[in-house]
Amino acid sequence: MLDFTGRWSGECTPQPGPMRHGLTTRESRRGRTGHDATGMLIAGEPGFGFGRGAVWAVHAGWSGDHAHYTERLPEHGPVLGAGELLAAGEVRLTGGEPYGSP
Protein backbone atom coordinates (compact mmCIF):
# COMPACT_ATOMS: atom_id res chain seq x y z
CA MET A 1 0.00 0.00 0.00
CA LEU A 2 1.06 3.56 -0.63
CA ASP A 3 -0.75 6.73 0.31
CA PHE A 4 0.46 10.23 1.08
CA THR A 5 0.44 12.59 4.03
CA GLY A 6 2.22 15.80 4.97
CA ARG A 7 2.01 19.39 6.10
CA TRP A 8 2.81 22.75 4.57
CA SER A 9 6.05 22.61 2.54
CA GLY A 10 6.11 18.86 3.08
CA GLU A 11 2.84 17.75 1.50
CA CYS A 12 2.58 14.54 -0.54
CA THR A 13 5.05 12.65 1.65
CA PRO A 14 4.91 8.94 0.69
CA GLN A 15 3.56 6.69 3.43
CA PRO A 16 4.11 3.06 2.36
CA GLY A 17 2.93 0.08 4.37
CA PRO A 18 1.31 -3.34 4.13
CA MET A 19 -2.34 -3.84 3.22
CA ARG A 20 -4.02 -4.98 6.40
CA HIS A 21 -7.06 -7.23 6.79
CA GLY A 22 -10.36 -5.45 7.31
CA LEU A 23 -11.20 -1.86 6.38
CA THR A 24 -8.58 0.90 6.27
CA THR A 25 -9.88 4.41 5.55
CA ARG A 26 -8.20 7.79 5.03
CA GLU A 27 -10.69 10.65 5.34
CA SER A 28 -10.38 14.39 4.81
CA ARG A 29 -13.14 16.41 6.46
CA ARG A 30 -11.76 19.92 5.96
CA GLY A 31 -14.15 20.94 3.18
CA ARG A 32 -11.23 21.04 0.77
CA THR A 33 -8.09 19.12 0.11
CA GLY A 34 -5.35 19.80 2.66
CA HIS A 35 -1.63 19.23 2.88
CA ASP A 36 -2.31 15.95 4.69
CA ALA A 37 -4.97 14.67 2.25
CA THR A 38 -3.96 11.41 0.62
CA GLY A 39 -5.07 12.40 -2.91
CA MET A 40 -4.43 8.91 -4.21
CA LEU A 41 -4.32 5.41 -2.78
CA ILE A 42 -2.10 2.83 -4.46
CA ALA A 43 -1.98 -0.95 -3.93
CA GLY A 44 0.48 -3.27 -5.58
CA GLU A 45 2.44 -6.44 -5.54
CA PRO A 46 4.90 -6.72 -2.65
CA GLY A 47 7.99 -4.66 -3.45
CA PHE A 48 6.34 -2.60 -6.20
CA GLY A 49 8.10 0.58 -7.19
CA PHE A 50 8.78 2.85 -10.12
CA GLY A 51 8.98 0.58 -13.15
CA ARG A 52 8.38 -2.73 -11.35
CA GLY A 53 5.38 -4.69 -10.16
CA ALA A 54 1.68 -4.49 -10.94
CA VAL A 55 -0.20 -1.66 -9.22
CA TRP A 56 -3.79 -0.45 -8.87
CA ALA A 57 -4.71 3.08 -7.81
CA VAL A 58 -7.79 5.13 -6.95
CA HIS A 59 -8.32 8.91 -6.83
CA ALA A 60 -11.57 10.63 -5.80
CA GLY A 61 -11.12 13.71 -8.02
CA TRP A 62 -13.07 15.82 -5.52
CA SER A 63 -11.92 18.95 -3.71
CA GLY A 64 -14.37 18.69 -0.81
CA ASP A 65 -14.63 16.16 2.02
CA HIS A 66 -13.53 12.76 0.69
CA ALA A 67 -12.39 9.27 1.63
CA HIS A 68 -10.02 6.69 0.17
CA TYR A 69 -10.24 3.13 1.46
CA THR A 70 -9.07 -0.45 1.12
CA GLU A 71 -10.90 -3.51 2.31
CA ARG A 72 -9.42 -6.97 2.52
CA LEU A 73 -11.64 -9.83 3.64
CA PRO A 74 -11.13 -13.61 3.50
CA GLU A 75 -14.09 -14.21 1.16
CA HIS A 76 -12.98 -11.91 -1.68
CA GLY A 77 -9.98 -10.12 -3.12
CA PRO A 78 -8.84 -6.67 -2.00
CA VAL A 79 -11.04 -3.67 -2.83
CA LEU A 80 -9.92 -0.07 -3.42
CA GLY A 81 -12.42 2.76 -3.33
CA ALA A 82 -12.80 6.51 -3.08
CA GLY A 83 -15.59 9.05 -3.01
CA GLU A 84 -17.02 12.19 -1.52
CA LEU A 85 -18.13 12.39 2.11
CA LEU A 86 -21.45 14.19 2.35
CA ALA A 87 -22.62 15.88 5.54
CA ALA A 88 -26.19 15.32 6.72
CA GLY A 89 -28.52 17.42 4.58
CA GLU A 90 -25.76 18.53 2.19
CA VAL A 91 -27.64 17.06 -0.78
CA ARG A 92 -31.42 16.98 -0.84
CA LEU A 93 -33.21 15.15 -3.62
CA THR A 94 -36.85 15.16 -4.56
CA GLY A 95 -38.55 11.91 -5.51
CA GLY A 96 -36.90 10.36 -8.57
CA GLU A 97 -34.22 13.07 -8.81
CA PRO A 98 -30.80 11.58 -9.71
CA TYR A 99 -27.51 12.32 -8.01
CA GLY A 100 -24.15 11.92 -9.73
CA SER A 101 -21.08 11.57 -7.59
CA PRO A 102 -17.64 12.74 -8.69
Side-chain angles (χ1 to χ4, degrees), residues 27-70:
E27 296 183 350
S28 176
R29 295 183 179 269
R30 297 172 182 248
R32 57 175 167 54
T33 53
H35 299 297
D36 63 332
T38 190
M40 183 184 322
L41 182 60
I42 303 166
E45 297 175 331
F48 76 88
F50 184 76
R52 71 177 185 281
V55 297
W56 298 265
V58 64
H59 169 67
W62 179 251
S63 60
D65 293 351
H66 60 278
H68 291 81
Y69 66 90
T70 64

Side-chain angles (χ1 to χ4, degrees), residues 21-23 71-79:
H21 288 276
L23 180 66
E71 186 173 27
R72 187 173 179 191
L73 299 173
E75 57 271 358
H76 62 75
V79 174

